[in-house]
Amino acid sequence: MAKKPAKAAQSLKIPKAIIVTGKFLQAISPKLAARFAARLFTTPIKHKTPRREHDMEQSSSKEMVFIEALRKHVMVYRYGTGERTILLVHGWSGRGTQLVKFAEVFAKAGYSILSFDAPAHGKSTGKTSIMPEFIATIFQLEKQFGPFEGAVGHSLGGMSLLNAVKRGLKLKRFVTIGSGDVIQDIIDTFTDSIGLKRETGLLMRRQFEEKNHEAMDEYSSWRAAREIDIPVLVIHDHDDAEVPVSCAVHIHENLKHGTLMLTSGLGHRKILGNPDVIKKTFGFITKNNP
């Protein structure tokens, strides 16, 4: 069991050229290093769609939707034919079909599923993105395709749901899986991974805040959690090498109506295909529904 997180961490190795460039910039100009780090921080990696997602991708009704607040287009997937709709939100460097196993279970039970490639992800436009863009997309899709019965979000998608509900997204209940918590912790982990000083991360954060005129800490999950009144199921794996399980515990502690499910041996992504996780999620979202 102890070897699994090590394997996961190994897969996240940063190219040496990026580390060398960052350290060089840090030595000559902290401001340039912070801008370089910010560009990396906001640029997702586009992965090939795996075979297990092909059926959902091909069977879905797809359309490019213009997100007015962002002036960007995102690819939207509508799967299933039911009257009640479940929103699925992928995480950083993910895709709208990544939560396919959840989509299949809900569709079989008579629900419709709506998911999307976040800005700069999958087939959507743009090269960079950040959590407020995930949130703006969610609100635009609620306006155009809602209301949503419930929602499931993975990683940054879970953080985005917490913050969207805090800001007025209407849901009966929702589920987060492998979601991060404190924004500064996320920045520290990122700067550590690319070999930069944490002071560079703080400078990067200040640059973001000056540009967007709001404190990044306002997007920390625990802050959103304490303002949410609907039931939330928080799922996380003990062996998640990308997001520590302590994040889930802290989020759960700040929810008024929270349920915590902890798993082992599934890591950050394998958890999305686990039958027990899918069953628990489905039961939670559909509770009290005929």
Side-chain angles (χ1 to χ4, degrees):
M1 285 287 228
K3 290 182 181 178
K4 287 188 179 179
K7 282 183 182 177
Q10 195 173 15
S11 70
L12 297 172
K13 277 187 176 177
I14 306 298
K16 189 176 179 181
I18 287 177
I19 294 174
V20 171
T21 301
K23 287 185 174 180
F24 171 74
L25 291 172
Q26 191 170 246
I28 63 169
S29 171
K31 284 186 177 180
L32 281 177
R35 286 178 195 160
F36 174 75
R39 184 71 181 186
L40 290 175
F41 188 69
T42 58
T43 303
I45 299 168
K46 291 193 178 186
H47 299 283
K48 220 174 180 181
T49 304
R51 186 174 296 176
R52 64 179 173 274
E53 298 173 26
H54 285 179
D55 183 63
M56 180 179 175
E57 185 179 42
Q58 292 166 8
S59 302
S60 295
S61 168
K62 297 181 283 291
E63 70 174 290
M64 291 292 279
V65 173
F66 183 64
I67 309 302
E68 296 170 8
L70 307 176
R71 314 299 295 175
K72 292 181 179 181
H73 288 86
V74 300
M75 176 61 77
V76 173
Y77 303 84
R78 286 185 283 174
Y79 185 73
T81 57
E83 291 183 6
R84 292 174 294 187
T85 304
I86 305 297
L87 175 68
L88 303 181
V89 188
H90 67 76
W92 188 249
S93 294
R95 304 160 298 283
T97 54
Q98 193 170 15
L99 278 69
V100 58
K101 295 300 179 184
F102 297 88
E104 289 172 348
V105 169
F106 279 106
K108 190 176 179 181
Y111 288 83
S112 288
I113 293 83
L114 188 126
S115 64
F116 62 95
D117 295 336
H121 290 71
K123 297 178 177 65
S124 295
T125 63
K127 292 184 178 179
T128 62
S129 191
I130 199 167
M131 195 202 306
E133 293 197 350
F134 277 62
I135 296 168
T137 301
I138 289 169
F139 277 115
Q140 175 78 38
L141 298 183
E142 180 192 35
K143 179 181 175 183
Q144 198 161 333
F145 301 104
F148 302 124
E149 186 84 7
V152 183
H154 175 239
S155 197
L156 183 62
M159 294 185 74
S160 299
L161 283 176
L162 286 160
N163 277 279
V165 172
K166 169 188 171 180
R167 289 162 172 76
L169 176 68
K170 299 290 187 291
L171 297 171
K172 292 182 178 178
R173 47 182 59 215
F174 69 101
V175 179
T176 70
I177 304 172
S179 294
D181 183 19
V182 180
I183 296 296
Q184 189 58 52
D185 289 348
I186 295 170
I187 293 173
D188 288 344
T189 299
F190 170 73
T191 50
D192 289 349
S193 74
I194 60 173
L196 295 180
K197 296 175 183 177
R198 292 193 173 182
E199 288 82 356
T200 301
L202 288 172
L203 183 56
M204 180 183 83
R205 174 178 171 168
R206 283 200 292 273
Q207 289 176 355
F208 274 127
E209 291 178 339
E210 286 171 9
K211 181 181 178 182
N212 297 299
H213 308 292
E214 61 180 339
M216 287 184 76
D217 192 51
E218 285 302 311
Y219 290 90
S220 290
S221 293
W222 72 272
R223 287 188 177 277
R226 65 184 184 179
E227 296 185 40
I228 291 172
D229 295 319
I230 63 174
V232 183
L233 170 61
V234 179
I235 304 177
H236 213 109
D237 192 76
H238 283 288
D239 300 314
D240 189 327
E242 295 184 36
V243 183
V245 70
S246 57
C247 292
V249 174
H250 193 224
I251 292 168
H252 175 251
E253 286 173 350
N254 283 278
L255 286 165
K256 298 183 183 77
H257 307 288
T259 302
L260 182 64
M261 177 186 183
L262 300 180
T263 60
S264 296
L266 298 175
H268 191 63
R269 292 180 182 80
K270 191 178 176 183
I271 195 169
L272 296 179
N274 181 261
D276 292 335
V277 169
I278 295 166
K279 182 179 178 181
K280 180 77 172 179
T281 296
F282 178 79
F284 182 82
I285 293 288
T286 59
K287 188 178 181 181
N288 300 327
N289 285 337

